[in-house]
Amino acid sequence: MSFLTLTHIKKSFGPVHVVHDFNMAIEKGEFISFLGPSGCGKTTILRMVAGFETPTAGTITINGRDQSALKPNQRNIGMVFQAYALFPNMTVFDNVAFGLKIAGAGKEEIGKRVKEMLGLINLDHLADRYPYQMSGGQQQRVALARALAPKPQVLLLDEPLSALDAKIRVSLREEIRLIQQQLGITTVFVTHDQEEALSISDRIVIMNAGRADQIGTPFEIYNRPATRFVASFVGTLNLIEAKVLDPAANRVTIGDQGVTLKERLGPVQAGDTVSLALRPEAGSIAEGAKGDTALTGPVVSTNFLGSVIRTRISVGDSPISFDMFNSPGLVPPAIGDTVTLRFTAGDLLIVRD
Ligand code: ATP
């Protein structure tokens, strides 16, 4: 049986339905991210697991036990929030010791466990500092140590990195993932940063207006988006409108250029419109580029993004972006040049609504 289960979970605030029939089974030791735009219900689900909100319907179990009758402090859950929620009048040591004291642990046990936790986050040398004497990144590491000290059965992370600057975010997310794997603790992480979710999760839940549009590994979510919403929310994607030419042969036209899809078109008629997705990294205009499919059009823009140059061509009514890896010898095409983008037909996905 899965370690953390959410079965037919619904949540309404008065007449507003915020979560619609959410179902998920999370395995022990899994790192799950909830990813989605503001207001889609991610935090509400996290708060229901923590016991801060009561589901309108449905059941949450942890390690086989129904949580509905348990208060937050009876659930043995560790939480880290977006804002630095350390106790300002306590040292780092006392902050990390807090949950252990509440649980009635002895002095020796507390000392040993706090030392262990501060070692885990590499802050043993700051045990006597107060929160105001530390950077935001250090405070969040202490918040993590404080959440983990009482050995919770589940760790909930509510956008713990969002107040930090970009560089610290990246190093701290890697540190969190490492510690999570080291301890094997089942973790649920809420974020609206897709790169964050893709880089550290075992599985991602893509939330859209209170529903899970897709639950899958980062690889599945990125490469096989189940819906148009997932396709546009995760990564930079070209969404291309195509006209069905010959359904039996999986043949469509983009602008006036014919393309044979690898994926089966299914029940459509000639003349129907279908949406296709193509990642900008899938194609190349380099001489000798491989690929059984080609689209030709004029360059309408080029954007220098550092490691890549994103170039956009126009094919029919569809602007199509593609990335060229930057290198000192690279000469990007000029606006107005006509170029041919090559890729394999399998990279062109049919997006179903
Ligand atoms: P964000 O990324 O902005 O935190 P979210 O996906 O976590 O967004 P939630 O905080 O779960 O979204 O909120 C989902 C919806 O529920 C929002 O429309 C919000 O206004 C509403 N909501 C949340 N808590 C309450 C509450 N206590 N009473 C009424 N409405 C609420």
Side-chain angles (χ1 to χ4, degrees):
M1 189 190 187
S2 300
F3 192 69
L4 168 59
T5 67
L6 295 102
T7 312
H8 297 306
I9 294 295
K10 293 181 188 166
K11 180 67 184 172
S12 307
F13 292 106
V16 185
H17 304 300
V18 171
V19 176
H20 311 266
D21 198 20
F22 181 80
N23 293 282
M24 186 170 190
I26 299 173
E27 301 308 319
K28 192 163 172 53
E30 257 196 304
F31 191 112
I32 302 293
S33 292
F34 278 73
L35 176 66
S38 194
C40 67
K42 342 180 258 300
T43 302
T44 302
I45 292 180
L46 196 84
R47 288 174 59 78
M48 286 192 279
V49 175
F52 298 132
E53 298 288 355
T54 308
T56 308
T59 312
I60 296 173
T61 68
I62 300 179
N63 203 11
R65 185 171 179 200
D66 186 343
Q67 300 291 298
S68 49
L70 301 179
K71 296 195 173 71
N73 61 357
Q74 297 171 318
R75 295 191 181 194
N76 191 16
I77 280 174
M79 258 194 110
V80 180
F81 301 93
Q82 179 175 347
Y84 316 131
L86 297 178
F87 304 115
N89 55 339
M90 287 187 197
T91 61
V92 165
F93 183 98
D94 288 336
N95 262 286
V96 177
F98 183 79
L100 299 166
K101 277 188 190 156
I102 297 281
K107 205 167 169 193
E108 202 176 313
E109 187 192 342
I110 293 177
K112 196 167 156 246
R113 183 72 179 154
V114 172
K115 194 163 183 294
E116 199 183 323
M117 287 296 102
L118 292 182
L120 198 65
I121 57 162
N122 294 313
L123 285 184
D124 349 31
H125 57 297
L126 298 186
D128 297 327
R129 291 249 183 117
Y130 284 88
Y132 75 90
Q133 296 171 313
M134 292 188 301
S135 70
Q138 288 170 335
Q139 289 186 52
Q140 282 306 65
R141 278 148 77 195
V142 175
L144 180 67
R146 185 179 63 176
L148 291 171
K151 300 191 178 162
Q153 50 181 352
V154 173
L155 177 65
L156 303 179
L157 306 169
D158 190 2
E159 305 212 30
L161 306 173
S162 60
L164 306 174
D165 71 48
K167 228 175 170 167
I168 304 285
R169 283 180 81 122
V170 173
S171 66
L172 193 51
R173 80 184 183 211
E174 283 162 9
E175 202 173 325
I176 288 174
R177 175 59 160 157
L178 218 64
I179 290 171
Q180 181 269 336
Q181 284 176 321
Q182 219 170 314
L183 302 179
I185 184 164
T186 311
T187 301
V188 179
F189 176 73
V190 163
T191 180
H192 48 243
D193 182 325
Q194 45 122 340
E195 189 194 300
E196 216 160 82
L198 288 170
S199 67
I200 57 173
S201 315
D202 290 313
R203 283 190 295 160
I204 300 173
V205 181
I206 305 287
M207 293 292 295
N208 176 15
R211 295 179 202 280
D213 257 31
Q214 190 171 4
I215 300 177
T217 64
F219 190 86
E220 286 163 353
I221 297 277
Y222 190 85
N223 290 311
R224 307 291 317 168
T227 65
R228 172 187 285 269
F229 176 82
V230 178
S232 56
F233 192 76
V234 180
T236 310
L237 196 94
N238 292 299
L239 275 173
I240 304 166
E241 298 297 308
K243 276 241 168 325
V244 176
L245 197 64
D246 180 353
N250 295 315
R251 190 116 180 112
V252 299
T253 52
I254 299 171
D256 57 358
Q257 300 175 45
V259 167
T260 303
L261 303 175
K262 189 148 186 241
E263 203 177 331
R264 295 199 68 76
L265 270 168
V268 290
Q269 316 270 322
D272 283 356
T273 301
V274 289
S275 297
L276 305 174
L278 182 70
R279 296 266 177 218
E281 65 270 28
S284 172
I285 58 162
E287 213 164 292
K290 294 207 172 87
D292 52 17
T293 307
L295 290 170
T296 299
V299 172
V300 289
S301 68
T302 57
N303 283 302
F304 183 70
L305 301 178
S307 59
V308 295
I309 294 169
R310 181 156 299 160
T311 301
R312 188 180 287 186
I313 60 173
S314 178
V315 179
D317 289 336
S318 297
I320 299 176
S321 296
F322 61 93
D323 290 343
M324 287 178 284
F325 278 111
N326 190 12
S327 71
L330 181 73
V331 182
I335 290 173
D337 284 358
T338 295
V339 297
T340 296
L341 180 67
R342 288 193 186 281
F343 51 93
T344 53
D347 287 326
L348 215 40
L349 307 174
I350 300 170
V351 180
R352 302 179 201 275
D353 289 314

